[in-house]
Amino acid sequence: MRAEALDVTGRVDILINNAAIGTFGATAAIPEADFDACYALNVKAPFYLVGALAPAMVARGRGVIVNVTTMVASFGTAGSAVYASSKAALNHLTKCWAAKFGPQGIRVNAVAPGPTLTENAKAAFGEDGLTKMMRQAPARRVATPDEIAETIAYLASDQASFIHGAILPADGGRTAT
């Protein structure tokens, strides 16, 4: 994987870990295979991607890693134990990697979106369900995918050059309430 990325681009400037499986349900009802799949994609994949690609960034003395987590990683919600804990693990990895790679010129941060109007979220919760989730947020609305992408782009940009180890909520203020 590392060799392929370097063969195509010649270098690695930015890594965005933006894949997830949303495994939801009662703890006793989650099959072990679903638990394992969630942790494999949400924790293990970013862990090994960083392990594979960070050395090339370190060699250049420059790079950015942005992990995409979730607002529910910072508070408990019924039925989200597997998904939320996997993203909480990614939040912690973000801080560990920031401490490890920051002195070597690599910035590592995360974006923690709230409900976002994506096709997957609409299929899982419906637009009404997403809207209900955000009634407690000061913004009183669901995010657009573009708003989350702009937050990621900001953290990847030089404008965020002094931000290291942050978990930036992009949740319409939901975690502020």
Side-chain angles (χ1 to χ4, degrees):
M1 164 182 29
R2 177 180 182 269
E4 290 173 10
L6 293 174
D7 285 347
V8 170
T9 64
R11 67 182 200 216
V12 176
D13 296 313
I14 301 167
L15 169 60
I16 299 171
N17 286 308
N18 184 34
I21 291 176
T23 302
F24 300 98
T27 298
I30 303 288
E32 186 174 354
D34 291 356
F35 180 97
D36 290 345
C38 182
Y39 267 75
L41 186 60
N42 298 0
V43 181
K44 191 175 181 180
F47 182 86
Y48 285 104
L49 278 169
V50 168
L53 298 177
M57 293 178 179
V58 168
R60 289 184 55 236
R62 182 174 168 85
V64 177
I65 299 168
V66 179
N67 297 312
V68 180
T69 68
T70 177
M71 71 177 192
V72 298
S74 63
F75 60 88
T77 58
S80 70
V82 176
Y83 176 67
S85 65
S86 72
K87 291 301 190 165
L90 188 56
N91 281 350
H92 195 76
L93 287 171
T94 298
K95 292 181 177 293
C96 290
W97 291 329
K100 165 69 176 160
F101 297 120
Q104 299 170 62
I106 314 306
R107 288 187 299 107
V108 185
N109 294 292
V111 174
T116 305
L117 198 55
T118 64
E119 293 305 315
N120 284 344
K122 285 190 283 188
F125 304 106
E127 285 191 48
D128 288 341
L130 292 169
T131 300
K132 286 178 188 176
M133 285 182 212
M134 291 305 287
R135 285 197 180 130
Q136 297 173 3
R140 300 275 195 266
R141 67 177 181 81
V142 176
T144 67
D146 285 346
E147 289 172 311
I148 304 307
E150 289 169 5
T151 306
I152 295 166
Y154 167 71
L155 285 177
S157 77
D158 288 340
Q159 292 175 324
S161 64
F162 201 61
I163 301 174
H164 288 258
I167 313 299
L168 182 61
D171 62 8
R174 176 60 181 89
T175 52
T177 59

